[in-house]
Amino acid sequence: MARPILLTNARIVDPARGLDSPGAVVVSDGRIVAAGPEAHNHGVPEGWEVVDCTGKTIIPGLVDMRVFVGEPGAEHLETLETASRAAAAGGVTTIVTMPDTDPVIDDPALVDFVLRRATHNALVHVHPMAAISKGLKGDELSEFGLLKDAGAVAFSEGRKSLRSAQVMRNALTYARDFDALIVHHTQDADLARAGVMNAGEVATRLGLPGIPREAETIMLDRDLRLAKLTRGRYHAAQLSCADSIAVLRQAKENGVGVTAGAAIAHLALNEGDIGSYRTFFKMSPPLRSEDDRQAMVAALADGTLDVIVSGHDPQDVEGKRQPFAEAADGAVGLETLLSVGLRLVHSGEVPLIRLIEAMATTPARLLGLPVGTLRPGAPADLAIVDLDKPWVVKEESLHSRSKNTCFEGARLTGRVVRTLVAGKTVYPYGEGQRN
């Protein structure tokens, strides 16, 4: 049995308890015994592992509720094992995988397959989302009850959006009966058509077809109205523009119980970063204008945006080494999620406790998982972070099997130095470290 651990002389941040203060964390039998100023009262019994965390901050392990993994069907892009290593290095202790694999996760046996593979191969907790519709074809609904019983934590169409408003209405109604969460990518396929980046002056200058903001906002508005009609649990997966924030804010003010997330890329980058057709910046939804980015950050700070995700979407060299219009969408992000988010903290735009709430506490609550907090009794999933440690993102240093990061060469301040899952160290910075 592992020795109890005392992590002492740290700054403890636990949004679930509104806690941000000096203190310690006591871990025993895979669970949090105490966390905060009172943790020092336990003393240091003989045989305990004591870790001096002076200058470090301890946060709940992050819960990333939008991770694309190639397993099953595209293991050359990413496996559960490699994704979990990237997650551990980024302080992410729970990843939620998307159903658009090959085969699609729309059957209880496939949910069980993912869970069993993760049990044997992953360093962090893995929970699959199942498909809303069978085969992601957008017509016949999956068996929500059976899939939830098998272990699916929510339902999504992954990168796709449901075209039919009636099917979405049925899905929300059906999900309500099982207290299940619908997580939806909001992009109208007809409006997006052949667009490859944000519609606007930059797209015109680059000679690339654009995706209007309306492709996202109209779909979001439809979904929010259906959520109000059905009283189903609805979460917009990845918003990207100011117009969507306005629609979301209005729905919340009207009492509609909905939530929404944003990928860290849309909070840190804008369409100008595409520069000279840099395909690592091609994603769905596309990077928007600087005004949109600022509106997203403001919405995060005031709580309109609920969740931050990595949007981790590994692509191989062949998929990205193409002309911009033909390159695959997506970028990896598990390993850089927290460090990039800390840019917003260092700039004074978002308090640290709010950032961690959006990356850990709220996603855990939405998914009904007993993590995302340092509350006594909770699983000892946590990250020790040096908020002031500078580092440079290097492609060859990433743990993900695919290397398509849009933060290649970025100078970041703050990184995870140790990650624990159920009290076990799964990432020790400095041991076998490649950067």
Side-chain angles (χ1 to χ4, degrees), residues 295-320:
M296 297 283 290
V297 172
L300 172 65
D302 70 20
T304 303
L305 267 179
D306 304 273
V307 168
I308 302 173
V309 298
S310 69
H312 184 82
D313 194 355
Q315 302 294 334
D316 59 10
V317 173
E318 288 72 22
K320 282 295 186 181

Side-chain angles (χ1 to χ4, degrees), residues 30 88 92-94 123-125 379-382 419-426:
V92 178
T93 54
T94 298
L123 296 175
V124 305
H125 304 297
D381 297 353
L382 59 86
T419 302
L420 274 64
V421 173
K424 178 183 176 183
T425 298
V426 294

Side-chain angles (χ1 to χ4, degrees), residues 124-137:
V124 305
H125 304 297
V126 176
H127 297 280
M129 282 192 193
I132 297 173
S133 68
K134 292 185 177 178
L136 300 178
K137 294 179 179 178

Side-chain angles (χ1 to χ4, degrees), residues 11 239 261-270 273 290-303 305-309 336-359 387-388 407 411-414:
R11 175 185 176 186
L239 301 186
I264 190 62
H266 293 95
L267 296 164
L269 304 171
N270 64 43
D273 289 294
E290 177 59 14
D291 287 344
D292 286 314
R293 189 195 72 82
Q294 291 184 13
M296 297 283 290
V297 172
L300 172 65
D302 70 20
L305 267 179
D306 304 273
V307 168
I308 302 173
V309 298
T336 52
L337 171 63
L338 177 62
S339 295
V340 175
L342 289 174
R343 282 181 170 178
L344 305 175
V345 176
H346 293 311
S347 66
E349 295 171 283
V350 179
L352 178 62
I353 194 169
R354 173 71 194 113
L355 184 80
I356 303 306
E357 180 181 33
M359 288 184 170
L387 297 178
D388 299 317
F407 295 103
R411 297 179 181 276
L412 304 177
T413 301

Side-chain angles (χ1 to χ4, degrees), residues 71 80-82 84-85 116-123:
E71 189 174 2
L80 292 166
E81 178 185 6
T82 57
S84 76
R85 291 189 183 282
R116 282 189 290 107
R117 290 286 294 174
T119 298
H120 292 296
N121 300 322
L123 296 175

